[in-house]
Amino acid sequence: MTAGSVLVTGGAGFIGSAFVRLLLERDPSVRVVNLDALTYAGSLANLADLPDPGRHEFVHGDVCDGPLVTDVLRRHDVVTIVHFAAESHVDRSIAGPAPFLRTNVIGTLTLLEAARAAWLEEGVSPGPRRFHHVSTDEVFGSLRPDDPPCHEETPYDPSSPYAASKAASDHLVRAYARTYGLPVTLTNCSNNYGPRQFPEKLIPLVILNALEGRPLPIYGDGGNVRDWLFVTDHCEAVLEVLRRGRPGATYHVGGGNQPTNLDVVRRLCAILDDRLPRSPHVPHERLITFVEDRPGHDRRYALDASRIRDELGWSPRHSLDGGLRATVDWYLENGGWLREIRERPEYREWMTQNYGRRRDARDDERGARPPVGVREPAAGV
């Protein structure tokens, strides 16, 4: 990266805030401009205790606001854009796709247009620029048990409105590179986990429910397979792509593991048993409950990360067990953060709307269809 500012979109969210923190730690010369709309999953609490906060400026705004984005790029001499901002929860995209199209597609288009105007028009000072777009393994759709992991040339086959919106944004970024010569790189990552993740996702939700002795509902039979990536490992990969990645290239960033959702939940329960041996809920595994699966639930994701390993020397630092232990410890030490999230009215409303009527997955076998007796969401991803 060169002199000038780095614009991080979605920098008050889970992954974005982790990247802001890493960037300030690793590069003492960088200035970070953080653009975030502070929707339900973003929080200024994620930006507490930043290293050298004088090099960080927060801008409360929407990536779909063209005049604002243009002003930010020009006023701060932005030379690098790292685009994390996205609606990302599959269940929410099933309940209401429109916000996903707006943020993930129109927001990306707005950023691309602003970058094209700021960086490619006549009179702009010369120098390296980079638009880095962060995407997901979900654009490739579901793999069968014996299918090889997806590589960077695997055709897209999205299943959910969320995945389709991310696929569309990926295509837009590549189109701007080919049509206008915009300097871009892309990364597709697997399922992230770690500190400060909003508790609608599997791992923080299981931790929260287990601490309160609530059921740990798991979609279907719990056999869905994901490749889990500790959030700081992901951020280090993005930083390496910015520093040494080939312009125009795509890199897959995976954690190198493929447990089932049920296995992940059992590992979390074992860690909690170890950390809280006097809890009345030990063994926490007895809280596991299987509930009705969600529509179009992809069975398996997996990424081939050999390109980023071979070209840039990146590989994840955290094993799954080590990362899960670190994650559980962070949530145990930061109960105030969790309480603040759970007390938000919009969070409670969403949980009731999406999960209040889910029934036990075994009811079909029993011929009964009562609502499942849980007050928190199903732990599926």
Side-chain angles (χ1 to χ4, degrees):
M1 293 183 290
T2 57
S5 297
V6 177
L7 172 62
V8 179
T9 70
F14 164 49
I15 308 176
S17 65
F19 183 76
V20 167
R21 196 173 300 274
L22 181 72
L23 196 55
L24 291 170
E25 288 175 353
R26 295 289 178 85
D27 191 341
S29 68
V30 75
R31 302 192 307 275
V32 177
V33 182
N34 185 342
L35 177 63
D36 197 295
L38 294 180
T39 56
Y40 75 93
S43 174
L44 293 178
N46 292 340
L47 301 172
D49 302 320
L50 288 177
D52 199 357
R55 292 187 287 117
H56 172 264
E57 180 169 341
F58 180 76
V59 179
H60 185 194
D62 189 340
V63 291
C64 295
D65 185 342
L68 172 64
V69 172
T70 297
D71 177 68
V72 167
L73 263 60
R74 295 185 183 278
R75 182 158 49 90
H76 293 279
D77 186 25
V78 170
V79 298
T80 303
I81 297 172
V82 187
H83 182 30
F84 288 101
E87 294 282 351
S88 65
H89 190 43
V90 173
D91 286 342
R92 288 180 183 265
S93 81
I94 294 170
F100 289 75
L101 272 293
R102 181 182 183 276
T103 299
N104 299 355
V105 181
I106 302 303
T108 301
L109 176 64
T110 302
L111 284 166
L112 288 166
E113 277 291 279
R116 181 167 74 95
W119 295 347
L120 302 181
E121 67 180 15
E122 279 191 39
V124 173
S125 59
R129 303 287 191 271
R130 179 70 63 84
F131 186 110
H132 182 77
H133 181 64
V134 179
S135 189
T136 171
D137 56 4
E138 298 200 30
V139 297
F140 301 108
S142 186
L143 295 175
R144 293 169 296 190
D146 297 328
D147 285 341
C150 297
H151 52 79
E152 284 81 357
E153 284 73 41
T154 298
Y156 281 19
D157 187 23
S159 300
S160 68
Y162 160 62
S165 69
K166 290 299 292 184
S169 66
D170 294 1
H171 291 319
L172 274 173
V173 172
R174 293 190 179 99
Y176 267 66
R178 295 172 185 172
T179 302
Y180 304 112
L182 195 71
V184 308
T185 45
L186 295 89
T187 47
N188 295 83
C189 69
S190 56
N191 276 51
N192 279 222
Y193 70 100
R196 302 180 183 87
Q197 187 171 27
F198 191 75
E200 65 185 354
K201 301 293 180 73
L202 173 65
I203 288 172
L205 179 58
V206 165
I207 296 169
L208 176 61
N209 277 17
L211 290 175
E212 298 183 349
R214 297 177 183 268
L216 310 181
I218 300 178
Y219 285 149
D221 63 0
N224 300 79
V225 172
R226 300 293 183 263
D227 179 0
W228 292 94
L229 176 66
F230 195 69
V231 63
T232 55
D233 288 332
H234 178 199
C235 294
E236 288 180 345
V238 172
L239 193 55
E240 284 303 308
V241 172
L242 289 172
R243 287 172 170 169
R244 301 190 292 120
R246 290 180 288 110
T250 298
Y251 296 91
H252 282 183
V253 185
N257 56 75
Q258 294 187 58
T260 65
N261 286 350
L262 180 57
D263 180 39
V264 169
V265 174
R266 284 174 169 161
R267 294 188 196 201
L268 288 169
C269 290
I271 295 169
L272 287 164
D273 290 349
D274 178 67
R275 297 294 194 264
L276 304 170
R278 298 183 180 180
S279 168
H281 312 306
V282 172
H284 292 87
E285 189 171 324
R286 67 184 178 180
L287 299 172
I288 290 174
T289 304
F290 295 92
V291 300
E292 181 181 15
D293 209 350
R294 73 176 177 214
H297 196 180
D298 287 340
R299 191 65 174 175
R300 173 176 168 249
Y301 301 138
L303 291 178
D304 178 349
S306 58
R307 175 181 290 178
I308 192 171
R309 182 190 64 236
D310 295 344
E311 290 189 14
L312 306 182
W314 176 89
S315 60
R317 297 176 184 268
H318 293 79
S319 67
L320 180 58
D321 285 334
L324 290 177
R325 286 193 294 270
T327 301
V328 169
D329 289 344
W330 187 89
Y331 283 102
L332 290 178
E333 294 165 5
N334 290 273
W337 186 93
L338 275 173
R339 284 192 295 275
E340 191 276 328
I341 296 293
R342 292 197 66 242
E343 289 170 1
R344 296 180 187 179
E346 64 271 20
Y347 174 77
R348 302 180 70 86
E349 290 168 7
W350 163 250
M351 296 310 180
T352 300
Q353 170 193 342
N354 193 49
Y355 299 103
R357 296 184 179 181
R358 287 195 184 274
R359 55 189 175 81
D360 192 309
R362 296 163 294 183
D363 289 340
D364 284 336
E365 300 173 8
R366 295 194 292 257
R369 294 178 177 266
V372 65
V374 298
R375 292 168 289 172
E376 295 290 344
V381 293

